[in-house]
Amino acid sequence: MNHRYTKVTVQVPASTANIGPGFDAIGLAIDLWNQATFELNEEGHHVQADGENAEEVPKDESNYILQSFLDLYRYLGEEQPQGVRLRCINRVPFASGMGSSTAALLSGLLGANALLGSPLDKFDLLNLATSMEGHPDNVSPALFGGLAMGAIKDDGSVLLHQIPISIMPILIVLPDVALLTEESRAILPEFIPRKDAIFNHSRTPFLIEALRSGNLSLLAEATRDRLHQPYRLPLIPGSREALVRAREAGALAVTLSGAGPGLFVFPGENRQGIAKAMIAAFADAGISARAFHLASSNQGASVSPLM
Ligand code: HSE
């Protein structure tokens, strides 16, 4: 067992899942970082939050980061700490499709693991976090960075493949629509026609190849999807029109980011113009929207013990 620290800072990136056809399997890390510092104390739990959605962050034990932190103690059969002082700097908007709940889950697990002397390695944490989330497509890139794909094996462990890619500009346009992942998953049909399965799996290799090799001309076709977007876009007023206007304004590819409501764009040139066109499409539907001009990240989560 490694040295046990009493204070640790964890950084976890945002991530976008699916990227069109790779539903529940493929994701990309985004260079936008949440930070959480955990310090053990004797005086009970205390949560402080700054940044995006800071006022909405629960300050008690219902805090999701704190819950996953304490879950790891339970999972490992370790005595619960008397108190944890948690300070979060939140940059990934909640319920956006940018992996905010994955970032919270991993922050807690990585923080607790470090304070317990790192009994689990990153692959153990990948398996555990995937079993908690049910799919590996945000967890894999958030932990390992880059383009990451995961398949859940029969024993529940994750077969992971991670590819560092050339840093890509990314635009996320986030409409002000309340859409939780549970709701966005519940709408999906249990069974899909064979032609739709073929539509997706025939594009998935092209998606990976386009991002691996930088052959961006493949992206428009390679990011098309029939497994989830047709069912989810109607939940997001203005989203279909925003996709159309993004393409008209020159976007290389545009898809739903994860379960939404954010839309994910590989903008190519003209990213300001694309953002403006998409925001205007949402405005026409009576919905305000924000643009996040970001980039992909080949770095995954990191942990810095503090003495
Ligand atoms: N693959 C997941 C979905 C990502 O689309 O529902 C969001 O958690």
Side-chain angles (χ1 to χ4, degrees):
M1 178 86 54
N2 297 321
H3 181 74
R4 289 191 179 201
Y5 297 93
T6 56
K7 188 172 177 185
V8 65
T9 291
V10 178
Q11 311 245 26
V12 185
S15 52
T16 187
N18 305 327
I19 322 182
F23 179 69
D24 273 4
I26 299 177
L28 181 64
I30 298 178
D31 194 12
L32 178 71
W33 299 79
N34 279 358
Q35 179 174 308
T37 298
F38 303 84
E39 185 170 18
L40 299 180
N41 67 45
E42 315 273 297
E43 301 138 28
H45 303 313
H46 181 269
V47 179
Q48 185 192 333
D50 292 297
E52 279 280 334
N53 307 103
E55 322 74 54
E56 297 154 56
V57 173
K59 308 295 185 302
D60 57 15
E61 272 200 51
S62 68
N63 180 284
Y64 189 44
I65 299 179
L66 190 54
Q67 276 185 11
S68 62
F69 178 93
L70 297 171
D71 280 348
L72 194 78
Y73 279 75
R74 272 189 286 275
Y75 174 78
L76 293 171
E78 292 278 347
E79 194 182 332
Q80 298 273 303
Q82 283 188 328
V84 183
R85 182 170 289 273
L86 168 61
R87 171 148 197 260
C88 331
I89 302 175
N90 196 53
R91 299 193 180 93
V92 186
F94 285 1
S96 60
M98 295 161 76
S100 77
S101 47
T102 301
L105 171 66
L106 290 177
S107 296
L109 296 180
L110 286 161
N113 189 51
L115 294 181
L116 286 166
S118 301
L120 302 183
D121 66 18
K122 258 186 166 182
F123 292 93
D124 298 326
L125 289 164
L126 169 68
N127 292 336
L128 178 61
T130 298
S131 72
M132 293 165 89
E133 278 214 332
H135 40 91
D137 48 341
N138 288 105
V139 173
S140 309
L143 265 177
F144 292 88
L147 178 69
M149 54 217 81
I152 302 176
K153 296 196 274 184
D154 287 347
D155 66 1
S157 66
V158 177
L159 181 66
L160 172 79
H161 188 56
Q162 187 267 6
I163 306 176
I165 62 167
S166 296
I167 298 303
M168 301 271 292
I170 284 171
L171 165 67
I172 305 263
V173 173
L174 179 59
D176 189 10
V177 172
L179 179 62
L180 293 176
T181 298
E182 301 84 75
E183 195 187 336
S184 190
R185 289 183 79 80
I187 194 108
L188 301 178
E190 193 172 353
F191 299 100
I192 50 151
R194 182 195 300 180
K195 63 181 173 24
D196 289 348
I198 294 169
F199 186 94
N200 272 46
H201 78 64
S202 60
R203 280 163 179 75
T204 305
F206 290 96
L207 170 65
I208 296 160
E209 180 57 15
L211 295 174
R212 192 196 61 75
S213 68
N215 183 356
L216 304 182
S217 66
L218 294 173
L219 277 179
E221 192 61 41
T223 50
R224 293 184 64 203
D225 156 76
R226 285 196 186 155
L227 293 196
H228 64 109
Q229 291 187 171
Y231 308 99
R232 287 170 159 175
L233 292 176
L235 302 176
I236 310 167
S239 59
R240 278 190 193 284
E241 185 60 22
L243 294 181
V244 170
R245 297 230 202 135
R247 291 185 190 113
E248 285 170 359
L252 296 174
V254 55
T255 71
L256 197 58
S257 187
L263 299 183
F264 171 87
V265 188
F266 286 122
E269 314 290 322
N270 191 28
R271 62 180 176 163
Q272 297 293 349
I274 295 165
K276 221 169 132 193
M278 295 174 76
I279 289 171
F282 280 117
D284 289 348
I287 304 285
S288 61
R290 285 191 288 163
F292 292 75
H293 293 279
L294 303 165
S296 62
S297 168
N298 284 328
Q299 307 303 316
S302 68
V303 176
S304 316
L306 304 163
M307 302 306 278

